[in-house]
Amino acid sequence: MGKLGRYVPASRRGDRVPPKAGPPEAGPKARHQSAVRRVLSSLKPRSVAGQVFLLQLVVVLLLIATAVVALVVQDRNRAIQEAGDRSLVAAESFANAPGTAEAMKSDDPTAALQPHAEAVREKTGVDYVVALSPYGFRWTHPDPDQIGKHVSTSYGQALEGEPHQTTFDSSLGKAVDSTVAVFDEKGTAVGLVTVGVTVDKVTSVVQRQLPVLLAAGGVALLLAAGGSALVSGRLRRQTRGLGPVEMTRMYEHHDAVLHAVREGVIILDGDGRLLLVNDEARRLLALPPEAEGKLVTGLGLSPALAGLLGSGTAATDKVFLAGDILLAVSLRPVGLQGGSVATLRDTTELRALAGRADVAGGRLQLLYEASTRIGTTLDMQRTAEELTEVAVPRFADFATVELLEPVLQGGEPTGASMEMRRIAAEGIRDDVPLYPVGRRMHYAPGNPVAIGISTGRPVLVADLAMADGWRVQNPERARKVIEFGIHSMISVPLQARGQLLGVVEFWRSEQDPFEPDDLSPAEELAARAAVCIDNARRYTREHTTAVTLQRSLLPGTLPELSALEVGHRYLPAQAGVGGDWYDVIPLPGARVALVVGDVVGHGLHAAATMGRLRTAVHNFAALDLPPDELLAHLDDLIARIDQDAAAEGNTEAVTGATCLYAVYDPVSGRCVLARAGHPGPALVSPDGSVTFPDIPVAPPLGVGGGLPVETAVLRLAADSRLVLYTDGLVEARGRDIDIGLGMLRDALADTDGATPDDTCRVVLDAMLRTRSSDDVALLVARTRLLDPEQVEEWEVPADPAAVSRIRAEATRKLESWGVGEAAFTTELILSELVTNAIRYGGSPISLRLLRDRDSLICEVADGTSTSPHLRRAAFTDEGGRGLFLVAQMSNRWGTRYTDRGKIIWAEQSLDAGAAGALGGLLMADL
């Protein structure tokens, strides 16, 4: 059947099948795929005969399959019936055999029945003969190991005298089991006999009939193949070797060329006569219906086109004008007799589409450049200039941008005022009569710009000469603009987050007037620029806020002091706002505190942190704490601030702040310094030598962890310069701090005799040749010493009687200083302070008077740390009014603690108003 029913490929039948070879460079995989395609192609029936043969093959195979299935089903049913009959006959024969009943009732049924059962099984060809007791225990079995075992199957029907038969699937295939009972002469069932036979042992008729059936099918296939071959040969002779597929394809191609193809086709003979013209060629050339057979020169075509078609010379995409149609003509000679074929394409619409595509591509390129060139900085004016630079000259000949006044200042546009200022203008010429940059603009309600602002949509004015609303704004300037050649404009509002920021105008003079299609790219340009301008506006607002905050937190003007002459500089980083700071704080006793600090980072948070630290230093300095104690308290304060920030979920902590705190005493020239993570100072001696004193350094503020802060004491001669700075002065990217310190030493060495302010200028010019990436704070203090004649000290015995003597000596000193008019007030103050020290304090007790410019300072020191407190005495109290008098008669007073006790001080003014204040106090009701 395999040979008779196999389909013979066309190549083996002698049909002409052109081989399909792959390219030479194809690999094994490609060759394998090509071979598979060839086999599949050869198996596909291409002719009518092949299709008929395929149909006959399918019918024959279907009939054979149906017959085989029917025969198999019929044979299977017959085999099952025959197997059942065989097993039942064997079971009844064994049960009714003489001696079977007696053997079952004997003492050993197995010995009597097992040989007979095996003999019957072998002779009859059944699979098993099993004798069972009425209770289901086996007496016989082909497998001796199964004898004596119980069978759970119910045999109630067989015990009642009816044979029991079942069909089941065994390990050897489908099988039939028959069970009958064995009765004795009394009719009592003494046992059971069960016989099983597999169906496969029954002889099948299929094996006998199948060869005949297959032979008949093969003969039918041979007859069908012969008939198909005869029909195929006859058809090929009639169609000259072309099959129906090739003939159908040829007809479809011919019909498509004549009627469906959107390209003109003309076939000419060697004499230039038309042989074939399709419908598209007739339409393009406007040919009459009877054009076939005529010479191409007689069809009314243009001489150039007719000459090309009649020449027979090869040509490709030659362009000719046929009426309103722009034709691209290609000509190829064909045939042995000098014929040619021409193809015609209408390129009119293609040229228009190409032009529009070029315009669209140019707009896309414009928008791409806008996305990359607009918004490179956070400066509003520069962003507006970038918008005009992108638009000119690719989109417009001139472009102008105006922004609202609040926007220029970084504020929110409120809409209360439409006053604008022109901040950018760009054009192909500089002599354009448009308003210049910086001009305030206010547009009349009918102006196209005002209309766009009110509607929020771009406005196109295709002809400015006819736009009355635009000309009414300023007729004279409008006339000059039109005479200059500007003929059209587009006004687009600049909007971001739903708010109006300003407006941009695009003007054309040499390009074609704006069209409605130009509104979309203009609006897109404005939208991109508006977002960038709004970002710059918000940055300007935040930057202005931060700068204002920082300037308000930094000291405005430093106080004039007799102890020091100070020069200072502060340079923020490129961000504009930083955390570096400095301060000069007057202290009691003509002393001065110098502070320089640094908060890591830039921006608003660093400025706010700097303000908090400066306020804290002022508060601690008011307590007149030593430098080491002040930094320790400042460290604890910052640690608590960081803990509170962490508890609130704020990740911006103060950690990273540094500080240097110095206290200078002009009486002794003693300077006590302490620093926490900050660079040490530089010292310029009066002879011009520069040193960097060794100041013990503590960890930065907030990370001290309870570590002690150590101090250093310097003795500064008069006219020394103490230089305090932040790390931004000496550290820079790519420059080590040692190099920076060396540069600072060299710069200070060149400032011999310079004032502190000049010193700051020279140092910054030498150290910062370019803009620093970090904040820089610089403080230069030139030291002074008080004249010993301005200071007077007395040792005071612990005796109240000594007060009068001390008071008299102090009065004489005041007269020698020429401030005798202040003697009465000073006597009251020092009498009260010395008396309190004698009464409540401890030895040693001393009094010091200092004259500092227009103030007089009285200091009383004793050996205890008990501090007096100001209170208001009742009318019945005999005491308690002393400190009140001191507070009223002095500008300020206070207590500061020393290693060996305390000092109570009071400072009074020496100006003319002091006496009047004293007179008012004496007249007051105490």
Side-chain angles (χ1 to χ4, degrees):
M1 178 178 177
K3 295 182 179 180
L4 295 176
R6 185 174 57 192
Y7 177 76
V8 181
S11 59
R12 297 186 182 180
R13 297 198 308 264
D15 296 345
R16 293 182 297 169
V17 180
K20 295 183 179 180
E25 66 275 12
K29 183 176 180 181
R31 290 196 297 270
H32 175 71
Q33 293 176 351
S34 177
V36 171
R37 286 194 297 269
R38 288 197 301 270
V39 171
L40 294 178
S41 176
S42 63
L43 293 177
K44 183 178 179 180
R46 300 183 179 181
S47 62
V48 175
Q51 295 175 359
V52 172
F53 173 70
L54 179 61
L55 178 61
Q56 293 174 346
L57 175 64
V58 171
V59 172
V60 172
L61 292 179
L62 182 61
L63 292 176
I64 294 175
T66 303
V68 171
V69 170
L71 182 61
V72 169
V73 172
Q74 180 181 3
D75 182 67
R76 176 60 92 183
N77 293 334
R78 184 202 59 78
I80 292 173
Q81 182 64 36
E82 184 177 345
D85 295 343
R86 181 181 297 182
S87 64
L88 182 59
V89 170
E92 289 181 345
S93 299
F94 189 83
N96 296 323
T100 301
E102 288 76 8
M104 290 183 176
K105 294 191 295 180
S106 64
D107 295 336
D108 190 2
T110 299
L113 295 176
Q114 177 70 10
H116 296 287
E118 288 300 305
V120 171
R121 180 177 68 82
E122 293 177 0
K123 291 181 180 180
T124 59
V126 298
D127 290 294
Y128 59 85
V129 177
V130 179
L132 307 173
S133 69
Y135 304 102
F137 291 96
R138 295 190 184 97
W139 284 331
T140 65
H141 196 278
D143 185 4
D145 294 337
Q146 301 296 324
I147 296 175
K149 294 183 179 180
H150 186 267
V151 179
S152 60
T153 307
S154 175
Y155 297 106
Q157 181 181 351
L159 293 175
E160 292 176 359
E162 293 293 331
H164 177 71
Q165 195 171 58
T166 58
T167 304
F168 60 95
D169 293 324
S170 67
S171 59
L172 300 178
K174 187 175 289 297
V176 180
D177 179 270
S178 299
T179 304
V180 297
V182 180
F183 298 94
D184 59 4
E185 64 275 3
K186 297 179 180 181
T188 302
V190 296
L192 297 168
V193 176
T194 176
V195 177
V197 180
T198 56
V199 177
D200 292 340
K201 288 192 175 183
V202 179
T203 303
S204 176
V205 297
V206 175
Q207 297 178 359
R208 298 191 301 270
Q209 297 179 359
L210 187 59
V212 178
L213 185 61
L214 294 178
V219 172
L221 289 177
L222 288 176
L223 292 176
S228 298
L230 293 175
V231 173
S232 177
R234 184 174 181 83
L235 289 175
R236 286 186 179 277
R237 287 192 299 270
Q238 292 178 350
T239 60
R240 298 182 180 180
L242 295 178
V245 176
E246 287 80 1
M247 294 182 65
T248 302
R249 186 180 298 113
M250 179 182 295
Y251 174 79
E252 291 175 350
H253 289 178
H254 185 271
D255 187 76
V257 169
L258 290 179
H259 306 293
V261 173
R262 293 298 304 273
E263 186 171 338
V265 177
I266 298 177
I267 301 178
L268 305 97
D269 60 10
D271 300 329
R273 197 179 302 275
L274 267 65
L275 299 180
L276 177 66
V277 181
N278 69 347
D279 296 344
E280 184 66 11
R282 292 180 186 277
R283 183 187 68 83
L284 295 175
L285 299 177
L287 297 178
E290 62 279 1
E292 286 87 352
K294 295 183 178 180
L295 292 174
V296 70
T297 55
L299 298 177
L301 303 179
S302 64
L305 177 58
L308 174 65
L309 296 177
S311 66
T313 305
T316 302
D317 289 338
K318 295 291 184 180
V319 179
F320 297 93
L321 186 63
D324 297 334
I325 300 176
L326 194 64
L327 295 178
V329 181
S330 298
L331 187 68
R332 293 290 183 273
V334 295
L336 301 177
Q337 298 179 358
S340 60
V341 176
T343 58
L344 313 173
R345 287 185 293 109
D346 185 359
T347 61
T348 306
E349 184 178 356
L350 182 60
R351 291 295 179 91
L353 289 176
R356 289 196 292 269
D358 291 339
V359 173
R363 290 174 177 173
L364 289 177
Q365 183 65 26
L366 175 68
L367 297 179
Y368 171 76
E369 291 187 9
S371 64
T372 57
R373 294 177 55 186
I374 298 177
T376 58
T377 66
L378 288 174
D379 181 79
M380 285 184 287
Q381 182 170 358
R382 179 54 193 156
T383 302
E385 292 172 352
E386 291 170 344
L387 169 60
T388 59
E389 291 170 359
V390 169
V392 177
R394 299 189 57 178
F395 182 71
D397 296 321
F398 302 93
T400 55
V401 178
E402 296 92 47
L403 295 182
L404 293 170
E405 288 288 351
V407 174
L408 288 173
Q409 299 171 5
E412 290 285 343
T414 61
S417 175
M418 288 292 104
E419 290 289 339
M420 298 186 184
R421 184 183 297 275
R422 180 159 290 178
I423 66 169
E426 184 72 18
I428 58 176
R429 293 174 57 181
D430 297 333
D431 56 344
V432 60
L434 296 173
Y435 287 112
V437 174
R439 172 67 180 261
R440 287 180 177 270
M441 308 291 292
H442 182 79
Y443 295 99
N447 191 285
V449 179
I451 296 174
I453 292 174
S454 61
T455 61
R457 302 294 300 169
V459 177
L460 166 64
V461 182
D463 189 357
L464 291 175
M466 303 300 295
D468 296 335
W470 176 77
R471 289 186 290 108
V472 169
Q473 178 80 24
N474 189 329
E476 180 62 24
R477 186 169 291 272
R479 182 186 60 81
K480 293 180 180 179
V481 170
I482 294 175
E483 291 177 354
F484 181 80
I486 296 178
H487 48 72
S488 63
M489 63 91 71
I490 292 179
S491 173
V492 188
L494 294 171
Q495 300 180 96
R497 300 182 295 112
Q499 293 182 324
L500 177 68
L501 305 178
V503 66
V504 56
E505 297 98 359
F506 303 103
W507 313 80
R508 281 186 178 178
S509 60
E510 297 185 2
Q511 300 184 44
D512 294 335
F514 285 113
E515 299 177 352
D517 290 343
D518 295 318
L519 290 175
S520 178
E523 192 172 11
E524 182 69 20
L525 284 175
R528 293 174 183 266
V531 173
C532 298
I533 291 175
D534 187 56
N535 292 337
R537 178 195 64 80
R538 298 172 69 179
Y539 169 78
T540 301
R541 180 186 61 187
E542 296 177 1
H543 180 72
T544 302
T545 302
V547 170
T548 303
L549 173 63
Q550 183 189 39
R551 290 177 178 175
S552 66
L553 296 176
L554 286 173
T557 57
L558 298 180
E560 293 185 5
L561 304 169
S562 59
L564 296 171
E565 180 186 357
V566 179
H568 57 89
R569 290 290 189 278
Y570 176 78
L571 296 179
Q574 295 179 1
V577 178
D580 289 13
W581 53 285
Y582 60 89
D583 214 336
V584 178
I585 306 173
L587 296 177
R591 296 171 303 125
V592 181
L594 302 175
V595 190
V596 174
D598 184 6
V599 176
V600 176
H602 308 286
L604 194 60
H605 176 72
T609 302
M610 175 269 291
R612 299 170 73 178
L613 293 183
R614 181 169 178 259
T615 302
V617 170
H618 267 271
N619 292 335
F620 290 138
L623 300 176
D624 208 348
L625 297 177
D628 53 345
E629 294 184 17
L630 185 142
L631 292 183
H633 286 296
L634 197 62
D635 181 75
D636 294 338
L637 174 63
I638 292 179
R640 288 195 299 271
I641 292 175
D642 288 346
Q643 292 174 1
D644 295 341
E648 296 175 359
N650 186 3
T651 58
E652 294 190 68
V654 189
T655 302
T658 64
C659 183
L660 187 150
Y661 187 82
V663 176
Y664 174 69
D665 187 353
V667 176
S668 62
R670 185 172 179 265
C671 183
V672 183
L673 303 95
R675 59 178 177 143
H678 201 85
L683 179 61
V684 183
S685 301
D687 59 0
S689 61
V690 181
T691 59
F692 294 95
D694 185 14
I695 310 298
V697 60
L701 299 176
V703 296
L707 295 177
V709 179
E710 300 181 25
T711 61
V713 179
L714 303 178
R715 294 288 179 176
L716 303 181
D719 204 28
S720 298
R721 280 173 291 167
L722 189 64
V723 181
L724 284 68
Y725 51 88
T726 56
D727 56 0
L729 181 68
V730 295
E731 292 184 359
R733 183 175 301 174
R735 185 178 71 190
D736 189 75
I737 186 172
D738 293 335
I739 299 177
L741 292 176
M743 294 173 61
L744 178 60
R745 177 186 289 108
D746 296 339
L748 291 173
D750 296 334
T751 60
D752 187 20
T755 64
D757 196 69
D758 292 339
T759 302
C760 292
R761 178 181 52 80
V762 172
V763 168
L764 292 180
D765 291 343
M767 300 294 294
L768 304 178
R769 302 186 184 276
T770 59
R771 186 72 178 271
S772 175
S773 60
D774 195 6
D775 308 323
V776 175
L778 178 62
L779 187 64
V780 179
R782 183 195 295 274
T783 61
R784 296 170 181 162
L785 292 177
L786 292 182
D787 192 331
E789 291 296 326
Q790 295 179 266
V791 181
E792 188 68 29
E793 296 187 26
W794 293 272
E795 295 293 332
V796 180
D799 183 2
V803 175
S804 60
R805 179 180 61 82
I806 297 299
R807 185 169 55 239
E809 293 179 1
T811 301
R812 288 192 297 270
K813 189 62 179 178
L814 292 178
E815 291 176 351
S816 67
W817 284 344
V819 291
E821 67 275 5
F824 181 72
T825 303
T826 305
E827 286 181 1
L828 290 178
I829 292 175
L830 67 88
S831 295
E832 179 62 30
L833 296 181
V834 171
T835 300
N836 283 342
I838 294 174
R839 181 177 299 177
Y840 304 108
S843 298
I845 301 173
S846 63
L847 169 66
R848 186 171 74 166
L849 291 179
L850 294 90
R851 181 185 177 185
D852 183 17
R853 292 190 176 183
D854 57 353
S855 63
L856 182 65
I857 303 170
C858 177
E859 297 180 348
V860 177
D862 66 78
T864 64
S865 59
T866 304
S867 177
H869 297 281
L870 181 66
R871 65 185 180 90
R872 183 178 293 273
F875 286 105
T876 58
D877 292 341
E878 296 182 359
R881 297 177 176 85
L883 284 180
F884 180 78
L885 288 174
V886 172
Q888 293 298 319
M889 289 184 295
S890 60
N891 290 343
R892 55 179 183 155
W893 73 281
T895 303
R896 73 175 185 267
Y897 296 92
T898 63
D899 296 338
R900 296 179 295 177
K902 66 177 181 298
I903 298 175
I904 302 176
W905 57 272
E907 182 178 340
Q908 63 186 95
S909 177
L910 297 178
D911 59 8
L918 176 60
L921 175 63
L922 294 176
M923 296 301 295
D925 186 7
L926 300 177

